[in-house]
């Protein structure tokens, strides 16, 4: 049941990305080009996602079990730290340079081309390297 819901949610998300044009890198880069040819349509896509998600979070906060029968996970720690800032900066840099993030990158494979495959390979390489990098960043500093 869990895999069914994951497949359904992923397919719905991918279809939404495709229909809204968010798999088009020019659309995303146009959103970020505030001093040039700015394209505000991403704001409507974000609003269309944020509003129902806010409602879903309120409903989920009152539930003890998910639709699949699993226990609801605890809410995340609302703490702003180095890891969140570094991850956000890296995500934003990749998104701004290429115009893709993980969801649209996977959705764009259906029609993509070499560029989409290169981005996906780089994304998978970064995700694979992250555990080692994380261990290196989190190790205690050597005493001087």
């Amino acid at each position: 049941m869990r895999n069914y819901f994951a497949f359904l949610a992923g397919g719905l998300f991918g279809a939404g990305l495709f229909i809204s044009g968010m798999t088009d890198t020019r659309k995303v880069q146009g959103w970020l080009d505030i001093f040039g040819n700015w394209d505000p349509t991403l704001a409507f896509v974000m609003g269309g996602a944020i509003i129902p998600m806010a409602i879903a979070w309120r409903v989920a906060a009152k539930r003890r079990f998910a639709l699949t029968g699993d226990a609801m996970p605890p809410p995340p720690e609302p703490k702003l730290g180095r890891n969140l800032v570094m991850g956000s900066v890296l995500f934003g840099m990749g998104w701004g340079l290429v115009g893709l993030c993980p969801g649209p990158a996977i959705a764009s494979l259906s029609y993509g081309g070499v560029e989409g495959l290169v981005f996906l390979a780089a994304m998978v390489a970064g995700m694979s390297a992250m555990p080692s990098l994380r261990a290196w960043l989190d190790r205690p500093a050597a005493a001087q």
Side-chain angles (χ1 to χ4, degrees):
M1 190 65 143
R2 186 177 201 175
N3 288 338
Y4 172 74
F5 277 115
F7 180 78
L8 185 65
L12 184 61
F13 180 69
L17 290 171
F18 183 74
I19 291 167
S20 66
M22 291 302 113
T23 56
D24 182 359
T25 58
R26 295 169 297 179
K27 203 51 113 178
V28 174
Q29 289 171 328
W31 160 256
L32 298 170
D33 188 9
I34 57 174
F35 297 113
N37 190 17
W38 186 60
D39 181 359
T41 55
L42 185 57
F44 297 105
V45 173
M46 287 181 176
I50 290 170
I51 293 167
M53 201 59 221
I55 295 167
W57 277 110
R58 300 222 31 160
V59 170
K62 296 175 183 171
R63 294 181 60 102
R64 288 187 34 212
F65 295 98
L67 294 175
T68 58
D70 297 330
M72 295 294 283
E77 186 70 34
K79 169 175 112 172
L80 181 66
R82 176 185 72 161
N83 294 330
L84 179 62
V85 171
M86 285 177 55
S88 300
V89 167
L90 289 172
F91 178 89
M93 287 170 45
W95 194 47
L97 289 171
V98 182
L100 288 172
C101 61
I106 292 170
S108 70
L109 290 178
S110 62
Y111 66 86
V114 176
E115 295 88 4
L117 289 173
V118 169
F119 179 82
L120 186 68
M123 182 178 75
V124 169
M127 289 175 171
S128 300
M130 195 57 215
S132 299
L133 179 60
R134 177 67 189 236
W136 180 75
L137 288 171
D138 288 344
R139 76 177 196 279
Q144 300 282 349

